[in-house]
Amino acid sequence: MYPQIHTEGIILKKRAYLEKDLWIEVYTQSYGRICCLIKNAKDLKNNFHGKIELFSLIDLLIEKREKYIIKNICVKKYFSCFDNNIENLAFAGGIAETTLNIIPENYNPKNYFELLKTSIGILSINNKGLAIFFIFQIKALFLLGYINTHTQCQICNNNFLESDLFVYIDQQENSINCVRCSGNHNLIKIKKHSLNVFNYFIFFPFNDCLNLIISDLKTYQELLIIMQNLNHLSLAKLKSIKFWKDLYNYQPLDS
Ligand SMILES: [Zn+2]
């Protein structure tokens, strides 16, 4: 007998294997990101039919051999709404892609499953896809220890002032400086407001973040600049995520 485990999970990716089998990348509550094999997944007669949908919240019965084999799936929540909302479907895909890029297999950082479940759940009932995607990413990178809040200048160590309108990012040093320390270097000037939003997204509950009204795309572009320059993950790795590249050219569908 092999040990069997019960856990909740979210399907992030599917890959056909041999004639009828399927590999799925699942983020599970108990084991974090794992890759599981579903045998005869495509057999219409078995009980997996219609249950293996991307982003669905599922209860899994898994047999743990040298690999994980799925014995049973119970769908807890199927987000059929993504079928009619291409934009949110793309953001759900972005959340899955980000997860697969920043979390190695068999790794289960504390609270990540809850963040993933919350993000996909809110995305399924809300049309603020872009905001949800950014809140998710900033919270995820913070949870993994890759980014942190920034409230003071990294040169003079003084807190940024209420009256400061801009802060300055030094791409060479991966630091953020106040206007008084910005000198004549080639720094990226960003609105202090964008940094405030960044800090807010790290610390406040998801729904509070969502209530923050961000009306201009520039704020999101600047959040992206902050995430890419002030993180402990190699910049190249973040930049390699296709979805991040696409965000630079993002235009809302209704504009
Ligand atoms: Zn300073």
Side-chain angles (χ1 to χ4, degrees):
M1 270 300 273
Y2 295 98
Q4 294 202 331
I5 44 181
H6 250 125
T7 183
E8 208 173 68
I10 292 171
I11 302 174
L12 302 175
K13 195 176 176 180
K14 307 192 267 188
R15 181 161 49 89
Y17 180 66
L18 299 179
E19 212 169 303
K20 290 182 168 176
D21 298 349
L22 200 65
W23 280 105
I24 57 170
E25 294 269 6
V26 197
Y27 199 94
T28 60
Q29 187 166 36
S30 311
Y31 294 89
R33 177 187 165 188
I34 55 173
C35 193
C36 306
L37 183 65
I38 307 179
K39 291 192 165 173
N40 294 316
K42 292 174 199 160
D43 193 335
L44 293 180
K45 280 175 295 193
N46 76 22
N47 60 351
F48 296 121
H49 190 60
K51 294 180 178 174
I52 315 165
E53 297 297 330
L54 285 180
F55 320 124
S56 288
L57 184 63
I58 51 179
D59 260 334
L60 291 158
L61 179 63
I62 305 171
E63 198 167 82
K64 198 176 177 189
R65 303 194 192 184
E66 62 277 14
K67 49 186 177 264
Y68 292 104
I69 313 276
I70 293 195
K71 305 306 277 185
N72 197 19
I73 292 181
C74 231
V75 180
K76 293 184 86 174
K77 203 156 195 179
Y78 170 55
F79 299 116
S80 55
C81 46
F82 289 139
D83 296 347
N84 317 318
N85 189 331
I86 293 172
E87 189 166 72
N88 276 11
L89 180 67
F91 283 120
I95 287 174
E97 196 191 347
T98 303
T99 299
L100 295 173
N101 271 282
I102 61 178
I103 299 197
E105 218 174 308
N106 301 315
Y107 191 57
N108 191 16
K110 197 166 181 278
N111 298 329
Y112 194 89
F113 178 74
E114 289 308 317
L115 174 63
L116 190 64
K117 189 171 148 182
T118 302
S119 305
I120 301 268
I122 293 179
L123 189 62
S124 72
I125 51 166
N126 196 300
N127 58 6
K128 293 183 184 170
L130 185 64
I132 293 164
F133 184 61
F134 270 89
I135 297 165
F136 161 77
Q137 296 207 89
I138 289 174
K139 286 190 176 300
L141 290 175
F142 172 70
L143 212 144
L144 293 169
Y146 290 131
I147 58 173
N148 215 328
T149 51
H150 292 275
T151 53
Q152 52 180 229
C153 168
Q154 279 168 272
I155 291 185
C156 68
N157 288 329
N158 289 320
N159 284 343
F160 295 121
L161 301 178
E162 198 75 35
S163 56
D164 286 347
L165 288 180
F166 297 98
V167 289
Y168 298 80
I169 288 179
D170 186 333
Q171 281 187 295
Q172 244 71 55
E173 303 290 331
N174 289 335
S175 71
I176 188 157
N177 310 332
C178 72
V179 61
R180 292 159 292 283
C181 299
S182 61
N184 290 322
H185 310 294
N186 213 356
L187 306 181
I188 307 175
K189 177 180 171 181
I190 61 165
K191 288 178 294 172
K192 165 89 172 328
H193 172 72
S194 302
L195 181 65
N196 291 345
V197 171
F198 176 82
N199 289 335
Y200 194 93
F201 280 5
I202 286 180
F203 263 125
F204 285 83
F206 209 108
N207 276 311
D208 290 353
C209 297
L210 208 52
N211 287 333
L212 211 63
I213 295 164
I214 301 172
S215 50
D216 58 336
L217 277 178
K218 187 150 171 57
T219 303
Y220 290 112
Q221 282 159 355
E222 293 191 342
L223 286 177
L224 211 50
I225 292 171
I226 298 171
M227 276 191 277
Q228 292 195 330
N229 287 286
L230 303 176
N231 72 77
H232 307 299
L233 190 69
S234 81
L235 186 61
K237 187 168 182 189
L238 282 186
K239 276 196 170 163
S240 72
I241 300 179
K242 184 178 173 297
F243 204 85
W244 284 55
K245 288 189 217 156
D246 293 345
L247 274 181
Y248 277 115
N249 306 315
Y250 174 80
Q251 288 294 330
L253 284 180
D254 51 15
S255 72

mmCIF file of all heavy atoms in Angstrom, residues 41-67:
data_model
loop_
_atom_site.group_PDB
_atom_site.id
_atom_site.type_symbol
_atom_site.label_atom_id
_atom_site.label_comp_id
_atom_site.label_asym_id
_atom_site.label_seq_id
_atom_site.Cartn_x
_atom_site.Cartn_y
_atom_site.Cartn_z
ATOM 1 N N ALA A 41 -6.911 9.892 -17.921
ATOM 2 C CA ALA A 41 -7.682 11.122 -17.714
ATOM 3 C C ALA A 41 -8.667 11.370 -18.845
ATOM 4 O O ALA A 41 -9.725 11.949 -18.650
ATOM 5 C CB ALA A 41 -6.730 12.303 -17.583
ATOM 6 N N LYS A 42 -8.272 10.920 -20.041
ATOM 7 C CA LYS A 42 -9.120 11.239 -21.194
ATOM 8 C C LYS A 42 -10.173 10.174 -21.476
ATOM 9 O O LYS A 42 -10.927 10.280 -22.436
ATOM 10 C CB LYS A 42 -8.234 11.431 -22.426
ATOM 11 C CG LYS A 42 -7.385 12.679 -22.316
ATOM 12 C CD LYS A 42 -6.424 12.781 -23.473
ATOM 13 C CE LYS A 42 -5.299 13.740 -23.136
ATOM 14 N NZ LYS A 42 -4.142 13.522 -23.991
ATOM 15 N N ASP A 43 -10.198 9.170 -20.628
ATOM 16 C CA ASP A 43 -11.197 8.126 -20.799
ATOM 17 C C ASP A 43 -12.557 8.655 -20.327
ATOM 18 O O ASP A 43 -12.736 9.004 -19.164
ATOM 19 C CB ASP A 43 -10.779 6.904 -19.961
ATOM 20 C CG ASP A 43 -11.595 5.685 -20.336
ATOM 21 O OD1 ASP A 43 -12.722 5.866 -20.831
ATOM 22 O OD2 ASP A 43 -11.094 4.567 -20.137
ATOM 23 N N LEU A 44 -13.488 8.732 -21.238
ATOM 24 C CA LEU A 44 -14.782 9.340 -20.913
ATOM 25 C C LEU A 44 -15.530 8.584 -19.817
ATOM 26 O O LEU A 44 -16.393 9.119 -19.146
ATOM 27 C CB LEU A 44 -15.662 9.413 -22.169
ATOM 28 C CG LEU A 44 -15.166 10.359 -23.266
ATOM 29 C CD1 LEU A 44 -16.120 10.342 -24.449
ATOM 30 C CD2 LEU A 44 -15.008 11.774 -22.726
ATOM 31 N N LYS A 45 -15.183 7.299 -19.663
ATOM 32 C CA LYS A 45 -15.927 6.487 -18.697
ATOM 33 C C LYS A 45 -15.455 6.687 -17.251
ATOM 34 O O LYS A 45 -16.140 6.313 -16.316
ATOM 35 C CB LYS A 45 -15.797 4.997 -19.064
ATOM 36 C CG LYS A 45 -16.747 4.594 -20.193
ATOM 37 C CD LYS A 45 -16.512 3.160 -20.612
ATOM 38 C CE LYS A 45 -15.131 3.019 -21.223
ATOM 39 N NZ LYS A 45 -14.891 1.781 -21.936
ATOM 40 N N ASN A 46 -14.260 7.260 -17.086
ATOM 41 C CA ASN A 46 -13.784 7.353 -15.701
ATOM 42 C C ASN A 46 -14.338 8.593 -15.007
ATOM 43 O O ASN A 46 -14.998 9.439 -15.604
ATOM 44 C CB ASN A 46 -12.253 7.283 -15.636
ATOM 45 C CG ASN A 46 -11.616 8.577 -16.071
ATOM 46 O OD1 ASN A 46 -12.247 9.626 -16.044
ATOM 47 N ND2 ASN A 46 -10.375 8.516 -16.477
ATOM 48 N N ASN A 47 -14.054 8.687 -13.718
ATOM 49 C CA ASN A 47 -14.695 9.758 -12.945
ATOM 50 C C ASN A 47 -13.925 11.078 -12.952
ATOM 51 O O ASN A 47 -14.193 11.954 -12.158
ATOM 52 C CB ASN A 47 -14.948 9.289 -11.504
ATOM 53 C CG ASN A 47 -13.652 8.912 -10.820
ATOM 54 O OD1 ASN A 47 -12.601 8.850 -11.465
ATOM 55 N ND2 ASN A 47 -13.701 8.673 -9.528
ATOM 56 N N PHE A 48 -12.938 11.209 -13.838
ATOM 57 C CA PHE A 48 -12.224 12.487 -13.922
ATOM 58 C C PHE A 48 -12.844 13.410 -14.961
ATOM 59 O O PHE A 48 -12.518 14.580 -15.043
ATOM 60 C CB PHE A 48 -10.751 12.265 -14.300
ATOM 61 C CG PHE A 48 -9.987 11.500 -13.272
ATOM 62 C CD1 PHE A 48 -9.377 10.304 -13.590
ATOM 63 C CD2 PHE A 48 -9.880 11.990 -11.976
ATOM 64 C CE1 PHE A 48 -8.667 9.592 -12.634
ATOM 65 C CE2 PHE A 48 -9.175 11.293 -11.016
ATOM 66 C CZ PHE A 48 -8.565 10.083 -11.341
ATOM 67 N N HIS A 49 -13.727 12.828 -15.750
ATOM 68 C CA HIS A 49 -14.246 13.590 -16.879
ATOM 69 C C HIS A 49 -14.914 14.899 -16.438
ATOM 70 O O HIS A 49 -15.787 14.898 -15.577
ATOM 71 C CB HIS A 49 -15.245 12.733 -17.663
ATOM 72 C CG HIS A 49 -15.631 13.369 -18.959
ATOM 73 N ND1 HIS A 49 -14.709 13.670 -19.940
ATOM 74 C CD2 HIS A 49 -16.827 13.803 -19.422
ATOM 75 C CE1 HIS A 49 -15.322 14.248 -20.947
ATOM 76 N NE2 HIS A 49 -16.608 14.345 -20.663
ATOM 77 N N GLY A 50 -14.458 16.012 -17.017
ATOM 78 C CA GLY A 50 -15.040 17.317 -16.704
ATOM 79 C C GLY A 50 -14.575 17.915 -15.387
ATOM 80 O O GLY A 50 -15.022 18.979 -14.987
ATOM 81 N N LYS A 51 -13.640 17.240 -14.707
ATOM 82 C CA LYS A 51 -13.219 17.739 -13.388
ATOM 83 C C LYS A 51 -11.834 18.358 -13.405
ATOM 84 O O LYS A 51 -11.353 18.850 -12.396
ATOM 85 C CB LYS A 51 -13.211 16.587 -12.376
ATOM 86 C CG LYS A 51 -14.582 16.026 -12.078
ATOM 87 C CD LYS A 51 -14.453 14.895 -11.077
ATOM 88 C CE LYS A 51 -15.820 14.333 -10.717
ATOM 89 N NZ LYS A 51 -15.684 13.154 -9.854
ATOM 90 N N ILE A 52 -11.187 18.288 -14.564
ATOM 91 C CA ILE A 52 -9.796 18.750 -14.606
ATOM 92 C C ILE A 52 -9.730 20.074 -15.356
ATOM 93 O O ILE A 52 -9.247 20.147 -16.482
ATOM 94 C CB ILE A 52 -8.891 17.686 -15.270
ATOM 95 C CG1 ILE A 52 -9.220 16.300 -14.718
ATOM 96 C CG2 ILE A 52 -7.423 18.001 -15.019
ATOM 97 C CD1 ILE A 52 -8.655 15.164 -15.532
ATOM 98 N N GLU A 53 -10.268 21.099 -14.748
ATOM 99 C CA GLU A 53 -10.288 22.411 -15.389
ATOM 100 C C GLU A 53 -9.272 23.328 -14.721
ATOM 101 O O GLU A 53 -9.133 23.326 -13.499
ATOM 102 C CB GLU A 53 -11.689 23.030 -15.268
ATOM 103 C CG GLU A 53 -12.787 22.247 -15.973
ATOM 104 C CD GLU A 53 -12.576 22.163 -17.481
ATOM 105 O OE1 GLU A 53 -11.984 23.098 -18.052
ATOM 106 O OE2 GLU A 53 -12.990 21.150 -18.073
ATOM 107 N N LEU A 54 -8.593 24.128 -15.536
ATOM 108 C CA LEU A 54 -7.626 25.080 -14.990
ATOM 109 C C LEU A 54 -8.290 26.010 -13.979
ATOM 110 O O LEU A 54 -9.424 26.440 -14.181
ATOM 111 C CB LEU A 54 -7.028 25.933 -16.118
ATOM 112 C CG LEU A 54 -5.991 25.267 -17.020
ATOM 113 C CD1 LEU A 54 -5.511 26.262 -18.066
ATOM 114 C CD2 LEU A 54 -4.817 24.724 -16.225
ATOM 115 N N PHE A 55 -7.579 26.303 -12.917
ATOM 116 C CA PHE A 55 -7.961 27.261 -11.863
ATOM 117 C C PHE A 55 -9.106 26.785 -10.970
ATOM 118 O O PHE A 55 -9.497 27.486 -10.055
ATOM 119 C CB PHE A 55 -8.313 28.646 -12.443
ATOM 120 C CG PHE A 55 -7.412 29.083 -13.549
ATOM 121 C CD1 PHE A 55 -7.905 29.443 -14.787
ATOM 122 C CD2 PHE A 55 -6.036 29.107 -13.354
ATOM 123 C CE1 PHE A 55 -7.054 29.829 -15.814
ATOM 124 C CE2 PHE A 55 -5.176 29.489 -14.377
ATOM 125 C CZ PHE A 55 -5.693 29.851 -15.609
ATOM 126 N N SER A 56 -9.668 25.592 -11.254
ATOM 127 C CA SER A 56 -10.727 25.088 -10.379
ATOM 128 C C SER A 56 -10.161 24.783 -9.005
ATOM 129 O O SER A 56 -9.012 24.371 -8.864
ATOM 130 C CB SER A 56 -11.310 23.790 -10.943
ATOM 131 O OG SER A 56 -12.064 24.062 -12.067
ATOM 132 N N LEU A 57 -11.008 24.984 -8.005
ATOM 133 C CA LEU A 57 -10.633 24.600 -6.646
ATOM 134 C C LEU A 57 -11.118 23.168 -6.454
ATOM 135 O O LEU A 57 -12.309 22.887 -6.605
ATOM 136 C CB LEU A 57 -11.312 25.544 -5.653
ATOM 137 C CG LEU A 57 -10.964 25.356 -4.183
ATOM 138 C CD1 LEU A 57 -9.485 25.615 -3.943
ATOM 139 C CD2 LEU A 57 -11.811 26.292 -3.334
ATOM 140 N N ILE A 58 -10.193 22.260 -6.156
ATOM 141 C CA ILE A 58 -10.566 20.845 -6.093
ATOM 142 C C ILE A 58 -10.091 20.181 -4.807
ATOM 143 O O ILE A 58 -9.145 20.636 -4.171
ATOM 144 C CB ILE A 58 -9.962 20.065 -7.292
ATOM 145 C CG1 ILE A 58 -8.459 20.341 -7.409
ATOM 146 C CG2 ILE A 58 -10.669 20.422 -8.589
ATOM 147 C CD1 ILE A 58 -7.778 19.612 -8.544
ATOM 148 N N ASP A 59 -10.790 19.122 -4.439
ATOM 149 C CA ASP A 59 -10.329 18.237 -3.373
ATOM 150 C C ASP A 59 -9.673 17.049 -4.049
ATOM 151 O O ASP A 59 -10.256 16.445 -4.943
ATOM 152 C CB ASP A 59 -11.524 17.749 -2.540
ATOM 153 C CG ASP A 59 -11.651 18.535 -1.259
ATOM 154 O OD1 ASP A 59 -10.618 19.049 -0.786
ATOM 155 O OD2 ASP A 59 -12.776 18.636 -0.745
ATOM 156 N N LEU A 60 -8.476 16.736 -3.617
ATOM 157 C CA LEU A 60 -7.721 15.683 -4.283
ATOM 158 C C LEU A 60 -7.456 14.509 -3.355
ATOM 159 O O LEU A 60 -7.174 14.705 -2.172
ATOM 160 C CB LEU A 60 -6.353 16.227 -4.702
ATOM 161 C CG LEU A 60 -6.305 17.263 -5.808
ATOM 162 C CD1 LEU A 60 -5.019 18.043 -5.708
ATOM 163 C CD2 LEU A 60 -6.395 16.572 -7.144
ATOM 164 N N LEU A 61 -7.548 13.316 -3.908
ATOM 165 C CA LEU A 61 -7.036 12.144 -3.205
ATOM 166 C C LEU A 61 -5.826 11.687 -4.016
ATOM 167 O O LEU A 61 -5.949 11.338 -5.192
ATOM 168 C CB LEU A 61 -8.098 11.042 -3.129
ATOM 169 C CG LEU A 61 -7.630 9.760 -2.434
ATOM 170 C CD1 LEU A 61 -7.274 10.025 -0.974
ATOM 171 C CD2 LEU A 61 -8.703 8.680 -2.512
ATOM 172 N N ILE A 62 -4.673 11.750 -3.379
ATOM 173 C CA ILE A 62 -3.429 11.482 -4.103
ATOM 174 C C ILE A 62 -2.704 10.291 -3.488
ATOM 175 O O ILE A 62 -2.638 10.154 -2.269
ATOM 176 C CB ILE A 62 -2.484 12.707 -4.030
ATOM 177 C CG1 ILE A 62 -3.186 13.965 -4.533
ATOM 178 C CG2 ILE A 62 -1.222 12.471 -4.837
ATOM 179 C CD1 ILE A 62 -2.393 15.233 -4.281
ATOM 180 N N GLU A 63 -2.177 9.442 -4.349
ATOM 181 C CA GLU A 63 -1.339 8.354 -3.869
ATOM 182 C C GLU A 63 0.109 8.779 -4.063
ATOM 183 O O GLU A 63 0.495 9.218 -5.143
ATOM 184 C CB GLU A 63 -1.626 7.089 -4.680
ATOM 185 C CG GLU A 63 -1.141 5.835 -4.016
ATOM 186 C CD GLU A 63 -1.741 4.615 -4.700
ATOM 187 O OE1 GLU A 63 -1.192 4.206 -5.740
ATOM 188 O OE2 GLU A 63 -2.766 4.104 -4.220
ATOM 189 N N LYS A 64 0.870 8.647 -2.984
ATOM 190 C CA LYS A 64 2.251 9.114 -3.050
ATOM 191 C C LYS A 64 3.194 7.950 -3.315
ATOM 192 O O LYS A 64 3.539 7.189 -2.422
ATOM 193 C CB LYS A 64 2.610 9.815 -1.736
ATOM 194 C CG LYS A 64 3.833 10.688 -1.848
ATOM 195 C CD LYS A 64 4.092 11.423 -0.549
ATOM 196 C CE LYS A 64 5.373 12.234 -0.671
ATOM 197 N NZ LYS A 64 5.786 12.801 0.607
ATOM 198 N N ARG A 65 3.576 7.804 -4.564
ATOM 199 C CA ARG A 65 4.588 6.797 -4.912
ATOM 200 C C ARG A 65 5.875 7.556 -5.195
ATOM 201 O O ARG A 65 6.101 8.601 -4.615
ATOM 202 C CB ARG A 65 4.153 6.033 -6.160
ATOM 203 C CG ARG A 65 2.794 5.370 -5.993
ATOM 204 C CD ARG A 65 2.584 4.380 -7.101
ATOM 205 N NE ARG A 65 1.202 3.932 -7.161
ATOM 206 C CZ ARG A 65 0.784 3.011 -8.002
ATOM 207 N NH1 ARG A 65 1.629 2.461 -8.857
ATOM 208 N NH2 ARG A 65 -0.478 2.637 -8.015
ATOM 209 N N GLU A 66 6.686 7.061 -6.134
ATOM 210 C CA GLU A 66 7.861 7.863 -6.496
ATOM 211 C C GLU A 66 7.395 9.137 -7.197
ATOM 212 O O GLU A 66 8.080 10.127 -7.274
ATOM 213 C CB GLU A 66 8.869 7.067 -7.345
ATOM 214 C CG GLU A 66 8.374 6.574 -8.664
ATOM 215 C CD GLU A 66 7.586 5.257 -8.533
ATOM 216 O OE1 GLU A 66 7.188 4.859 -7.411
ATOM 217 O OE2 GLU A 66 7.361 4.647 -9.568
ATOM 218 N N LYS A 67 6.167 9.076 -7.724
ATOM 219 C CA LYS A 67 5.514 10.293 -8.188
ATOM 220 C C LYS A 67 4.113 10.348 -7.574
ATOM 221 O O LYS A 67 3.668 9.388 -6.960
ATOM 222 C CB LYS A 67 5.444 10.324 -9.720
ATOM 223 C CG LYS A 67 4.919 9.055 -10.360
ATOM 224 C CD LYS A 67 5.023 9.151 -11.883
ATOM 225 C CE LYS A 67 4.577 7.868 -12.557
ATOM 226 N NZ LYS A 67 5.690 6.957 -12.884
#
